[in-house]
């Protein structure tokens, strides 16, 4: 990918629905659940992580025994690091079991109660999280799962999620108004503390209801049975504005997965008699449990999947549902492309670009070589080639139907195939560790290798497809210069995603407007045409709206792009990314938003391209981001 987009947290939840002894007897191992969790997490490592965490809850253990276990890591191979540490515990326990057998003649390794009493991570509820810190530092304290502890089992809360809130300041202020003293003003802390507060209130409500009927410790068990997690979510999430798929585990063993009302962040689940599992991607569930795709369900936006202490499952709404705007970048880039629906959609994205590509190369396919930037653009590339084959088939049919062809012409037409080459390959051994800008740019140019002597110099055009072009820096610093060394007449860079014009505030690390090459192109066009006053007009509207508390009602930044066609902005982007020292002509083609929606009809969240944010907080963020740009402030706008 030419511009790496950093995103996105992944979640994995497994609830073992039968007693631990069942899995020990059937699968002959105490690590059945952990093995599945490891696989689910590894299958989601494609999401750009810099940390990971695992938590485990044991249900119905005796007082005095630890029932919550957690490991987190920010090591380069964080998942492997965590499970390596967990495996050490099990190897140590297996050695202990052999010692017990040698001394007593009884083998405790077949006894679930022995495992749960002696070894951590032998609980029935397992949670895994893969983190990309979109704004926070890569420190272990910022890694999920987060833990809110209490001596009361039903007040313990473990949380992890894939989310960003646009209204962190408001949520922080509400916590303060409740009398709390949050340790940080970040969405992870504010979300957990908000839910934790109402979990405490629900505990108190049930305590007051049953305290005259039961004595401790029986009362503690009654509380665990009666806690209404949907009510907790209704009260705590009503003022959340953002995209989220949040997982919560309670100390007594019940759990929930809550999805935002617009369905921005993904969450899927599968259940059978043995397990209930949730993940950010279908493929992770499919691979780990070998189930059919039609058995994997999507959690309804605005609803929570609640797994009670006894393993029963329900899906219940906790907030009013909005128009569904699921993230389209999931389909273009982030989710694993082996999902059959995503694979089909990515191929269609490539296929739909054919008319623009043919126009750009003047239908001269004989002198055009097609390639892609590895690796995520490969599927769109295959779709693009399929589209070319369809185009050629239609041309053959029209030529044959339209009149008599000489034998030589007919043979050429029937045997011609699009010219496909792997022009760019990535050298994974090269690392850009140099700190100075000048040296780093030189190193970046060597991250990719080029295939030589497959281009007819000065004659051929090169069409190179990528999944998205965000900042354009890798094109400018590396890719275009490399391709120019092949001496093509023209280089056509194709993006299977539309122009990224607006910041994301729901999870993707795209928050500073000046980084977007489309935004830079619009600024350059405004300057060229003497329309720079538009910037001041927009800035004034944003400032007034922010002052009046109405910035959430409208995206004023759309006016920056209004004077120009998509093609004009694409042309200017080509000028910006084209290095001054190359000889080849350069053009840039972007997917259209209409075609994106055709290819991904169930994922219409396209705010980064259109500015149509699915929640009011999105408008506020983009308006504030523009004000920050005008002030020259490089800070997060939410």
């Amino acid at each position: 990918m030419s511009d790496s987009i950093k995103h996105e947290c992944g979640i994995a939840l497994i609830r073992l629905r039968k007693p631990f002894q069942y899995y020990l007897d059937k699968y002959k191992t105490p690590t059945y659940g952990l093995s599945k969790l490891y696989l689910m997490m590894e299958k989601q490592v494609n999401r750009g992580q810099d940390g990971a965490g695992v938590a485990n809850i044991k249900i119905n253990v005796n007082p005095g025994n630890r029932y919550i276990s957690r490991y987190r890591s920010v090591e380069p191979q964080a998942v492997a690091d965590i499970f390596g540490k967990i495996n050490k515990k099990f190897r140590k326990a297996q050695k202990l079991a052999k010692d017990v057998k040698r001394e007593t003649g009884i083998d405790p390794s077949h006894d679930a109660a022995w495992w749960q009493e002696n070894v951590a991570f032998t609980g029935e509820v397992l949670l895994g999280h893969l983190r990309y810190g979109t704004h926070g530092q890569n420190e272990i304290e910022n890694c999920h799962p987060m833990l809110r502890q209490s001596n009361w089992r039903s007040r313990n809360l473990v949380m992890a999620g894939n989310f960003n809130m646009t209204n962190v300041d408001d949520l922080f202020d509400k916590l303060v108004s409740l009398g709390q003293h949050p340790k940080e003003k970040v969405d992870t802390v504010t979300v957990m503390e908000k839910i934790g507060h109402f979990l405490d209130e629900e505990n108190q409500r049930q305590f007051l209801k049953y305290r005259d009927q039961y004595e401790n410790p029986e009362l503690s068990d009654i509380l665990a049975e009666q806690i209404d997690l949907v009510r907790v979510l209704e009260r705590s999430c009503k003022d959340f504005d953002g995209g989220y798929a949040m997982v919560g585990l309670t100390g007594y063993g019940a759990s929930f997965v809550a999805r935002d009302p617009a369905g921005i962040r993904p969450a899927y689940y599968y259940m059978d008699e043995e397990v209930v599992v949730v993940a950010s991607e279908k493929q992770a569930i499919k691979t780990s449990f070998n189930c059919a795709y039609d058995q994997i369900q999507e959690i309804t936006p605005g609803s929570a999947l609640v797994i009670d202490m006894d393993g029963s499952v329900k899906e219940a709404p906790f907030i009013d549902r909005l128009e569904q705007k699921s993230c389209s970048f999931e389909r273009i880039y982030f989710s694993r492309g082996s999902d059959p629906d995503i694979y089909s959609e990515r191929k269609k994205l490539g296929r739909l670009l054919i008319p623009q590509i043919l126009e750009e190369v003047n239908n001269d396919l004989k002198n055009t070589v097609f390639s892609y930037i590895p690796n995520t653009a490969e599927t769109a590339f295959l779709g693009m080639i399929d589209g070319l084959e369809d185009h050629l088939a239609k041309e053959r049919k029209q030529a044959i139907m339209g009149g008599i062809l000489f034998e030589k012409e007919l043979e050429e037409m029937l045997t011609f195939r699009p010219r496909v080459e792997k022009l760019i390959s990535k050298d994974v051994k090269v690392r850009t560790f140099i700190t100075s800008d000048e040296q780093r740019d030189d190193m970046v140019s060597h991250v990719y290798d080029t295939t030589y002597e497959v281009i007819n110099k000065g004659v051929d055009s090169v069409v190179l497809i990528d999944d998205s072009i965000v900042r354009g820096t890798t094109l400018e610093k590396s890719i275009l210069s490399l391709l120019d060394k092949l001496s093509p007449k023209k280089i056509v860079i194709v993006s299977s995603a539309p122009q990224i014009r607006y910041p994301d505030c729901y999870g993707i690390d795209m928050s500073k407007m000046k980084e977007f090459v489309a935004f830079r192109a619009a600024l350059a066009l405004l300057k060229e045409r003497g329309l720079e006053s538009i910037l001041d007009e927009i800035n004034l509207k944003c400032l007034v709206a922010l002052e009046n508390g109405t910035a959430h009602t409208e995206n004023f930044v759309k006016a920056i792009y209004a004077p120009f066609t998509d093609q004009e902005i694409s042309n200017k982007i080509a000028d910006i990314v084209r290095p001054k020292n190359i000889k080849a002509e350069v053009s840039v083609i972007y997917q259209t938003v209409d075609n994106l929606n055709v290819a991904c009809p169930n994922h219409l969240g396209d705010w980064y391209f259109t500015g149509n944010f699915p929640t009011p907080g999105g408008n506020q963020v983009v308006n504030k981001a523009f004000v920050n740009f005008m002030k020259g402030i490089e800070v997060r706008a939410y």
Side-chain angles (χ1 to χ4, degrees):
M1 184 178 182
S2 60
D3 292 308
S4 178
I5 306 173
K6 295 302 176 71
H7 183 46
E8 115 150 358
C9 297
I11 55 174
L13 171 69
I14 299 177
R15 168 60 197 272
L16 304 179
R17 302 184 77 186
K18 294 183 179 293
F20 197 78
Q21 187 70 48
Y22 171 89
Y23 305 92
L24 191 59
D25 292 340
K26 181 174 180 177
Y27 298 104
K28 311 303 181 186
T29 175
T31 61
Y32 169 77
L34 284 166
S35 297
K36 295 294 188 183
L37 185 69
Y38 171 76
L39 189 55
M40 287 178 70
M41 293 178 71
E42 283 289 9
K43 289 299 179 181
Q44 296 182 97
V45 170
N46 51 296
R47 304 175 73 79
Q49 285 71 37
D50 61 3
V54 168
N56 182 251
I57 305 284
K58 299 176 185 177
I59 302 175
N60 289 327
V61 297
N62 293 323
N65 290 306
R66 183 179 294 274
Y67 58 95
I68 301 177
S69 304
R70 178 181 64 157
Y71 273 155
R72 298 176 294 175
S73 175
V74 291
E75 294 299 314
Q77 303 295 326
V79 177
D81 180 54
I82 288 170
F83 281 90
K85 291 176 180 177
I86 293 174
N87 283 336
K88 285 182 181 179
K89 290 182 175 293
F90 280 86
R91 288 196 296 270
K92 185 177 179 180
Q94 287 166 345
K95 183 179 179 182
L96 176 62
K98 289 179 180 178
D99 292 341
V100 171
K101 182 180 179 181
R102 188 166 48 249
E103 293 174 5
T104 67
I106 300 172
D107 185 358
S109 65
H110 301 298
D111 182 6
W114 183 86
W115 282 105
Q116 292 196 307
E117 186 174 336
N118 289 280
V119 188
F121 296 97
T122 52
E124 296 85 350
V125 191
L126 303 100
L127 172 60
H129 185 264
L130 297 142
R131 175 186 186 269
Y132 180 80
T134 51
H135 298 281
Q137 293 181 343
N138 183 24
E139 297 174 351
I140 200 161
E141 290 80 8
N142 296 321
C143 275
H144 300 193
M146 310 297 281
L147 178 58
R148 193 175 191 264
Q149 292 181 289
S150 170
N151 258 2
W152 290 82
R153 188 179 54 165
S154 55
R155 290 175 184 256
N156 280 282
L157 180 64
V158 182
M159 283 203 67
N162 172 13
F163 61 83
N164 267 105
M165 299 298 171
T166 68
N167 59 336
V168 176
D169 289 343
D170 292 339
L171 295 175
F172 180 87
D173 291 343
K174 288 188 178 182
L175 286 176
V176 174
S177 70
L178 291 170
Q180 292 194 20
H181 192 95
K183 60 183 179 181
E184 287 184 86
K185 189 187 284 190
V186 294
D187 50 13
T188 303
V189 172
T190 53
V191 165
M192 184 178 69
E193 291 300 333
K194 190 91 182 302
I195 295 174
H197 170 81
F198 286 105
L199 179 62
D200 286 345
E201 282 207 349
E202 176 65 10
N203 270 271
Q204 187 66 21
R205 184 174 78 95
Q206 299 296 346
F207 174 79
L208 294 174
K209 183 177 180 180
Y210 291 105
R211 66 179 177 178
D212 295 330
Q213 302 176 42
Y214 301 94
E215 297 289 337
N216 286 323
E218 186 182 9
L219 179 57
S220 179
D221 296 330
I222 295 298
L223 291 181
E225 293 173 4
Q226 298 300 321
I227 295 292
D228 185 347
L229 288 177
V230 175
R231 186 175 188 270
V232 171
L233 292 171
E234 286 174 344
R235 302 187 73 200
S236 55
C237 301
K238 61 185 178 181
D239 48 10
F240 287 176
D241 188 301
Y244 53 86
M246 300 182 298
V247 186
L249 315 182
T250 63
Y252 61 92
S255 55
F256 64 83
V257 182
R259 191 177 182 205
D260 69 82
I264 296 169
R265 296 274 71 87
Y268 300 95
Y269 72 97
Y270 162 75
M271 58 186 290
D272 59 25
E273 292 182 353
E274 294 186 354
V275 295
V276 183
V277 297
V278 181
S280 297
E281 299 184 41
K282 280 186 179 181
Q283 185 67 12
I285 299 175
K286 164 67 177 174
T287 302
S288 302
F289 291 90
N290 196 30
C291 55
Y293 271 104
D294 60 9
Q295 293 178 294
I296 303 171
Q297 306 297 316
E298 184 177 9
I299 296 178
T300 305
S303 292
L305 189 76
V306 178
I307 309 168
D308 288 327
M309 185 179 178
D310 62 1
S312 59
V313 181
K314 65 181 177 182
E315 188 177 4
F318 65 91
I319 195 170
D320 290 340
R321 188 172 177 178
L322 300 175
E323 181 183 0
Q324 186 156 345
K325 293 290 185 180
S326 300
C327 173
S328 57
F329 252 122
E330 282 287 342
R331 321 304 281 184
I332 298 168
Y333 175 59
F334 297 117
S335 289
R336 193 172 286 263
S338 50
D339 180 300
D341 293 332
I342 293 174
Y343 183 79
S344 175
E345 290 169 11
R346 289 182 183 174
K347 286 192 74 174
K348 196 164 189 177
L349 286 168
R351 186 188 293 266
L352 290 169
L353 286 159
I354 293 303
Q356 292 170 264
I357 293 170
L358 290 173
E359 182 179 352
E360 196 61 47
V361 299
N362 296 317
N363 288 288
D364 183 11
L365 295 181
K366 290 182 179 179
N367 296 307
T368 302
V369 175
F370 295 88
S371 193
Y372 63 95
I373 296 177
N375 286 326
T376 53
E378 184 176 2
T379 307
F381 171 76
L382 294 175
M384 179 177 70
I385 299 304
D386 284 351
L388 287 171
E389 295 282 8
D390 290 345
H391 166 75
L392 290 170
K394 289 177 183 177
E395 279 202 334
R396 294 183 190 113
K397 181 179 178 181
Q398 289 174 357
I400 293 170
M401 296 285 289
I404 299 173
L405 289 172
F406 291 109
E407 183 177 349
K408 183 179 179 182
E409 291 175 319
L410 180 60
E411 184 176 353
E412 285 182 1
M413 182 167 285
L414 292 176
T415 59
F416 180 78
R417 295 290 181 272
R419 295 171 61 193
V420 174
E421 303 289 352
K422 188 171 183 179
L423 297 179
I424 299 289
S425 57
K426 202 165 188 177
D427 188 344
V428 296
K429 298 184 295 297
V430 176
R431 294 289 183 266
T432 53
F433 60 89
I434 305 297
T435 55
S436 74
D437 289 342
E438 184 176 341
Q439 287 179 299
R440 188 191 302 113
D441 288 346
D442 181 62
M443 288 294 290
V444 166
S445 69
H446 291 88
V447 169
Y448 294 95
D449 288 331
T450 312
T451 304
Y452 289 92
E453 306 306 324
V454 293
I455 300 295
N456 296 318
K457 297 180 180 180
V459 176
D460 287 342
S461 294
V462 169
V463 174
L464 192 76
I465 191 169
D466 195 357
D467 43 41
S468 59
I469 304 168
V470 186
R471 302 170 183 90
T473 50
T474 309
L475 285 175
E476 182 180 1
K477 303 293 185 184
S478 177
I479 300 295
L480 289 171
S481 294
L482 281 173
L483 290 175
D484 190 62
K485 292 177 181 178
L486 305 179
S487 301
K489 179 181 70 174
K490 184 175 186 178
I491 302 170
V492 181
I493 302 296
V494 182
S495 169
S496 66
Q499 296 168 3
I500 297 170
R501 299 179 171 190
Y502 303 94
D504 181 74
C505 50
Y506 305 117
I508 303 173
D509 187 14
M510 299 191 303
S511 58
K512 298 172 184 175
M513 297 200 64
K514 76 169 191 176
E515 293 181 350
F516 305 140
V517 69
F519 182 72
R520 290 159 54 202
L523 293 180
L525 289 171
L526 288 172
K527 184 176 181 180
E528 286 177 8
R529 302 185 187 183
L531 299 173
E532 290 174 287
S533 60
I534 289 176
L535 298 176
D536 294 324
E537 294 168 8
I538 296 170
N539 191 42
L540 180 60
K541 288 181 179 179
C542 291
L543 287 168
V544 170
L546 288 167
E547 179 70 24
N548 294 338
T550 59
H552 62 281
T553 61
E554 183 179 349
N555 176 1
F556 298 108
V557 182
K558 287 184 178 182
I560 289 175
Y561 300 98
F564 315 115
T565 65
D566 292 352
Q567 187 61 54
E568 287 175 318
I569 292 175
S570 292
N571 292 343
K572 181 52 65 176
I573 289 171
D575 291 342
I576 290 172
V577 300
R578 184 182 186 275
K580 293 182 174 61
N581 60 340
I582 72 170
K583 297 178 181 179
E585 180 186 347
V586 174
S587 64
V588 176
I589 293 173
Y590 281 91
Q591 185 72 264
T592 67
V593 173
D594 287 344
N595 279 345
L596 170 67
N597 293 337
V598 168
C600 309
N602 298 318
H603 290 73
L604 302 177
D606 57 12
W607 54 91
Y608 2 75
F609 314 123
T610 63
N612 298 327
F613 288 89
T615 73
N619 289 329
Q620 176 148 325
V621 166
V622 70
N623 290 329
K624 189 174 180 180
F626 182 74
V627 169
N628 288 344
F629 163 75
M630 292 295 285
K631 290 179 178 178
I633 300 174
E634 294 190 25
V635 296
R636 181 182 180 183
Y638 56 100

